[in-house]
Amino acid sequence: MTKLPSLFLVLTLVSVFVCGFGKRIPILSFDEGYSQLFGDDNLVLHRDGKAVHLSLNERTGSGFVSQDLYLHGYFSASIKLPADYTAGVVVAFYMSNGDMFEKNHDEIDFEFLGNIRGKDWRIQTNIYGNGSTSVGREERYNLWFDPADDFHQYTILWTDSQIIFYIDNIPIREFKRTAAMGGDFPSKPMSLYATIWDGSDWATNGGKYRVNYKYAPYVAEFSDLILHGCAVDPIEFSSKKCDTTSQSLELSATITPSQRSKMDSFRRKHMTYSYCYDQTRYKVPPVECVINPREAERLKRFDPVTFGGRRHHGKRHHRSRASRSEADTI
C-alpha cells in the first residue's frame, strides 16, 4: 500500500476546507479548549499540548471534553488508532449533552471499533436527537487505509439543517433535517468528547471477541484539534456570536460535485451497514431516510438477512452507546 505523507496531507486538507469559512481556523492546544474527563495519568499531553494520547489499560480508559458548549460548529481532529489486536476497544470522537439532558439528550458520534489481529478497524457514525435512542441511526464502514498506520482527519460539521461526517475532507455521510423528524434532529448545545474505553460486550462481533489486556496499553493519539462553532452560555444557552457563526457554517456545508462523487464512491465501496435499510429493525424506514436503490441492492447482496428481509435465527444488531488505495481513488 502506498503511504500518503499524512501530516502534510491533513494540514493541507484542513487549510483547504476551512477556507469556506472565510478565515483560517486555529488549531488549539489542549489547555486552550479542553479538560480531562477521566483516566488520570492515562491521558498524556505531547508537543506542548498540541497532541493528546489517550490510553486504555486494565485499570481504566481515558477521555477529554471541550471546555465550552457549542450550538452547531466544525469539530475536527487528526487521530491515529492503536495497532495489533484491538478487539473490544472503542475509540470515540463525538458530541453529546447527556450530562445535562439525561432523558432527552442529543448526540453525534464517530466511533472506531477494534478488531482481532489481521482484521481491520471499522468505523461507525450515529445520531440521536432529543433522547431518540429507540431509533438507532447507525452506519458502519470499512476504510481504504489502515487507521493505525498514521494520522487521518475526522470531522463533524453540524448546522441547523444538516450534519456531515468527513474523513480526510471526503464527506462520508450527509444527514439532513426534515420536518417529519420533529425534535429528533440534534438541536441543543453539546460538548465535544474524545474517549477510549472497553466495549467488549458489543464492539467486536457482538461481544464474541473481548479486550485482551495482554496487549495493553491501547493508545489512541489525537492532534490538530479544531473547535469552531457557536460557544454558548451553559446557563442561558445564548450567545451573540451564534447568528454569524451559523450563517458561515451553512455556507460551508455545501458539498461540491467532486466531494459528492467521492462520497458516493466511498459509500458504494465501503459502507457495510445502514439503519435505513435494516429490515430486521424497521419494517418501514424511519422518516428521515432517503432510500438509494443502488445502496439497497448492494447491502442486500452483502447481508440478505438484515437487508433483504429474510428470516433469521438469533442474529441481533447491537447498538453502541453512546490497506487498499490512496484517498484520491475513492
Side-chain angles (χ1 to χ4, degrees):
M1 179 181 71
T2 303
K3 283 193 176 182
L4 298 174
S6 100
L7 180 59
F8 173 78
L9 173 66
V10 167
L11 291 174
T12 301
L13 290 173
V14 169
S15 176
V16 168
F17 184 79
V18 300
C19 285
F21 293 97
K23 61 180 180 181
R24 184 178 181 84
I25 298 178
I27 294 173
L28 298 179
S29 67
F30 184 83
D31 291 337
E32 289 175 311
Y34 305 89
S35 299
Q36 183 164 3
L37 181 64
F38 70 102
D40 300 324
D41 54 2
N42 280 15
L43 184 153
V44 179
L45 301 182
H46 294 267
R47 291 169 39 206
D48 296 324
K50 295 292 186 182
V52 188
H53 289 189
L54 297 180
S55 63
L56 167 68
N57 56 24
E58 290 180 300
R59 182 174 56 86
T60 184
S62 52
F64 60 86
V65 60
S66 63
Q67 295 171 8
D68 288 326
L69 285 166
Y70 295 89
L71 181 62
H72 310 138
Y74 173 95
F75 309 97
S76 185
S78 296
I79 305 172
K80 182 180 179 183
L81 298 176
D84 204 1
Y85 182 98
T86 55
V89 176
V90 179
V91 176
F93 180 69
Y94 66 104
M95 310 215 47
S96 178
N97 49 31
D99 57 335
M100 296 181 296
F101 302 98
E102 184 177 346
K103 295 184 178 180
N104 63 333
H105 83 290
D106 304 313
E107 194 168 314
I108 305 172
D109 299 339
F110 263 121
E111 289 177 310
F112 305 91
L113 311 178
N115 220 328
I116 60 176
R117 181 180 288 134
K119 299 290 185 179
D120 296 334
W121 280 85
R122 293 160 301 143
I123 186 169
Q124 174 168 288
T125 60
N126 206 350
I127 297 164
Y128 300 122
N130 206 32
S132 58
T133 56
S134 61
V135 181
R137 296 184 173 89
E138 305 97 326
E139 289 190 352
R140 286 183 182 166
Y141 326 90
N142 297 318
L143 294 170
W144 67 93
F145 55 83
D146 183 346
D149 270 354
D150 216 331
F151 287 90
H152 291 270
Q153 181 195 5
Y154 303 90
T155 301
I156 296 168
L157 178 59
W158 170 38
T159 77
D160 184 59
S161 62
Q162 64 182 326
I163 297 164
I164 304 175
F165 296 87
Y166 296 84
I167 300 177
D168 288 344
N169 203 38
I170 296 169
I172 65 165
R173 181 179 184 182
E174 179 183 33
F175 185 86
K176 292 188 176 183
R177 186 176 198 164
T178 67
M181 290 183 67
D184 285 358
F185 187 89
S187 57
K188 298 185 293 294
M190 292 189 277
S191 300
L192 180 74
Y193 294 82
T195 58
I196 185 170
W197 50 286
D198 186 331
S200 290
D201 289 343
W202 66 273
T204 308
N205 284 41
K208 180 179 179 181
Y209 301 103
R210 306 181 67 83
V211 173
N212 186 337
Y213 286 102
K214 178 178 72 173
Y215 300 100
Y218 298 96
V219 180
E221 304 176 38
F222 293 76
S223 65
D224 303 330
L225 301 170
I226 294 178
L227 290 170
H228 177 76
C230 174
V232 302
D233 184 280
I235 304 299
E236 298 180 355
F237 290 169
S238 62
S239 172
K240 294 180 180 179
K241 297 180 180 179
C242 280
D243 289 342
T244 301
T245 301
S246 295
Q247 289 173 4
S248 67
L249 288 168
E250 290 289 356
L251 289 172
S252 68
T254 301
I255 296 178
T256 67
S258 174
Q259 286 179 317
R260 187 164 298 282
S261 176
K262 291 183 177 181
M263 180 173 70
D264 291 344
S265 179
F266 171 86
R267 295 174 68 81
R268 184 174 65 252
K269 295 177 182 178
H270 301 292
M271 186 169 70
T272 61
Y273 178 85
S274 172
Y275 75 105
C276 284
Y277 305 100
D278 188 340
Q279 297 184 31
T280 65
R281 297 173 75 192
Y282 306 111
K283 300 305 179 185
V284 177
V287 294
E288 71 275 4
C289 289
V290 177
I291 301 302
N292 181 320
R294 291 183 178 179
E295 287 185 351
E297 183 59 31
R298 188 186 65 79
L299 288 173
K300 184 177 179 179
R301 292 196 303 268
F302 177 76
D303 184 346
V305 171
T306 301
F307 304 113
R310 295 184 185 176
R311 291 187 178 183
H312 60 96
H313 302 280
K315 182 173 180 175
R316 298 179 59 196
H317 176 77
H318 291 260
R319 178 180 60 80
S320 75
R321 65 120 284 282
S323 240
R324 289 167 275 281
S325 59
E326 296 186 5
D328 59 6
T329 67
I330 292 180

